[in-house]
Structures are given as C-alpha cells and as structure tokens.
Amino acid sequence: MEKTVTEAIYYRRSVRVFKADHPLEDEKVKHCIQNAVLAPTSSNLQLWEFQHITEKETLKKLTKACLGQNAAKTANQLVVVIARKDLWKKRAKSNIKFLKEVYGNKSEKDYSKREKFALAYYKKLIPSLYTDFLGILGWLKFILFSAIGFFKPMYRQVRQSDMRIVAHKSAGLAAQNFMTSMAAIGYDTCPMEGSDTRLVKQILGLPWGAEINMIIGCGIREEDGIYGPRFRVPFEEVYKKV
C-alpha cells in the first residue's frame, strides 16, 4: 500500500548501501520521475532534465565518477538530475506556444490585457533576464536594478550566477518530488553531490551548458544501509513565526 505524504517523508532516508538481489521496476521509477516534473519551477521554464540510468556499463562508469561511493556502487539504478539553464530560449518558446493554444490561437489584437501580459513575460522579460555576454550584461542589469531598488522593491537576482541558482533550485525541488515518490512505494534513494561533474557530463554526452545538480542512487535498503539515526537540530532553532 502506498504511503501518505507524511509517511513517505519520514520513511525517506539517505541510504548508502542497497540490496544487490532486489531489482527495481523501471516503469515505477519512471513514474516517480514523472511526479518529479510536476514540481514548482521558476517562471514555469522547467530548466531540468533527468537521465534514468539502468544499463550496467553506464552504472559502472558513473560509480567511478561518483568517487566510488557505496550509494552509487550498490545502487540498482541511478537518476541524474541536470540543470538546463542553457535551454531557456527553447522552454520560453514552449510556454508561448502553450499559452497561445490556451487562448485559442487568436490574433494578437484580440488578446486581453492579461493575456498580452503573460505572452510579453516570455517574449520580453525572460530574454532580458537570461540574456548575457561573459557575465557583463548581468552585472550591468544588477547595477541598474539595484539603483531602481533604492526607490521601490525590485528583483535583483539578474546576474548569470543568479540565474544558475534559479535553475538549480527548481531542479532540487523536482529531485525532492522524485525521492518522496520513491519512498511512497517503498523504494530507497540517496542524493549525491560528491562527483566529478565533468566526467559525468562526458559519460552522458551532455552539452557544455548542462550542469549536474545531483545524482540519486536508487534501490532497496540493506539492514545496515543507513549509517545512523536521523539527526535534526531542534525545530525551534529553524522555525520563526512572524
């Protein structure tokens, strides 16, 4: 029986050692990735990609790229979460196409004020945020927006490094959706940041602009697969009611 959200969150642990004789069902893992892409994402750009690794030779290569961690070495499958800031133009066009279809593919003069605003968001605002040249435009935008910020609230995360963070945050939200979905069906995971990301990209044939967000080991936990009891700092230290 599938777990509730709360049960899945409590069940999920970073499992370091998986059982060798308990293979996962590919379609179930794929379904969990389908749940992942329903995560919230900045401007609905969905600047992410997921590679579901089941082929033994690729698993072996990625284990080396993951520095030989047990969570990779014993994993039945791996899911590589990739931030794709480089695809912002393509994803913006997809949003424009979707909106036009929702609005009935009518002529521009027939769009409502709200519809024109939504289309302009992807045609003008998104390009203004994501277009850059060697980081120079980003700094110029940052200075301009900061100056405007002296007079009114203003979005300031406009540098190339800021937009990378935006893409990685969205990818991280999707990864959590995936891991919670896996926990709900009794599958275990371990998110790994420790890897040779250049080597991972080389193994997977990823382009220069793609960035590895994390690699998630997947399997069924061994009895000693969790290295210790769960520790969290006292809730009162991180919770502030204003």
Side-chain angles (χ1 to χ4, degrees), residues 115-132:
E115 290 168 346
K116 288 178 180 178
F117 176 83
L119 289 168
Y121 184 88
Y122 291 103
K123 289 180 178 180
K124 298 178 181 179
L125 181 59
I126 291 299
S128 73
L129 289 174
Y130 280 87
T131 300
D132 208 341

Side-chain angles (χ1 to χ4, degrees), residues 1-221:
M1 184 175 177
E2 191 165 317
K3 299 173 180 63
T4 66
V5 172
T6 299
E7 288 170 343
I9 289 171
Y10 273 85
Y11 177 81
R12 189 216 64 80
R13 296 293 307 275
S14 292
V15 174
R16 312 292 177 173
V17 183
F18 300 102
K19 291 182 177 180
D21 56 348
H22 284 66
L24 304 182
E25 294 184 37
D26 294 357
E27 285 302 311
K28 287 186 176 181
V29 177
K30 182 180 178 181
H31 178 70
C32 291
I33 297 174
Q34 290 172 328
N35 287 346
V37 302
L38 299 178
T41 167
S42 178
S43 298
N44 200 34
L45 288 178
Q46 303 166 56
L47 298 176
W48 51 40
E49 179 181 323
F50 305 85
Q51 294 218 12
H52 181 191
I53 314 301
T54 61
E55 201 275 321
K56 292 188 180 298
E57 189 58 34
T58 306
L59 287 169
K60 185 177 179 181
K61 291 178 181 177
L62 285 175
T63 295
K64 181 178 180 181
C66 289
L67 316 178
Q69 295 181 64
N70 281 334
K73 187 185 301 181
T74 64
N76 184 265
Q77 300 182 13
L78 293 172
V79 171
V80 184
V81 184
I82 305 156
R84 294 302 306 266
K85 184 178 78 69
D86 57 319
L87 295 180
W88 70 266
K89 288 183 181 179
K90 180 179 179 181
R91 301 292 163 79
K93 287 180 180 178
S94 295
N95 273 280
I96 292 169
K97 181 176 181 291
F98 171 76
L99 288 174
K100 286 183 175 180
E101 290 172 352
V102 170
Y103 300 153
N105 286 315
K106 52 194 174 187
S107 61
E108 289 196 23
K109 64 182 178 63
D110 295 324
Y111 287 134
S112 67
K113 185 176 180 181
R114 182 177 180 180
E115 290 168 346
K116 288 178 180 178
F117 176 83
L119 289 168
Y121 184 88
Y122 291 103
K123 289 180 178 180
K124 298 178 181 179
L125 181 59
I126 291 299
S128 73
L129 289 174
Y130 280 87
T131 300
D132 208 341
F133 178 73
L134 300 177
I136 298 171
L137 290 178
W139 275 103
L140 291 175
K141 287 183 285 186
F142 177 74
I143 293 169
L144 174 62
F145 284 30
S146 295
I148 296 173
F150 280 112
F151 305 99
K152 64 178 182 179
M154 177 57 58
Y155 185 72
R156 302 165 191 263
Q157 286 68 47
V158 293
R159 293 165 293 185
Q160 193 173 44
S161 57
D162 295 322
M163 306 321 293
R164 287 182 61 240
I165 291 171
V166 167
H168 278 278
K169 284 195 292 186
S170 291
L173 289 170
Q176 185 60 41
N177 258 24
F178 169 72
M179 290 185 286
T180 303
S181 296
M182 290 282 279
I185 60 175
Y187 283 2
D188 293 299
T189 56
C190 183
M192 295 175 281
E193 289 188 295
S195 66
D196 183 332
T197 55
R198 183 196 64 80
L199 182 55
V200 173
K201 288 171 64 174
Q202 184 181 53
I203 292 167
L204 300 179
L206 293 170
W208 179 84
E211 298 186 359
I212 305 303
N213 178 263
M214 68 179 76
I215 300 174
I216 303 175
C218 306
I220 302 296
R221 66 183 69 178

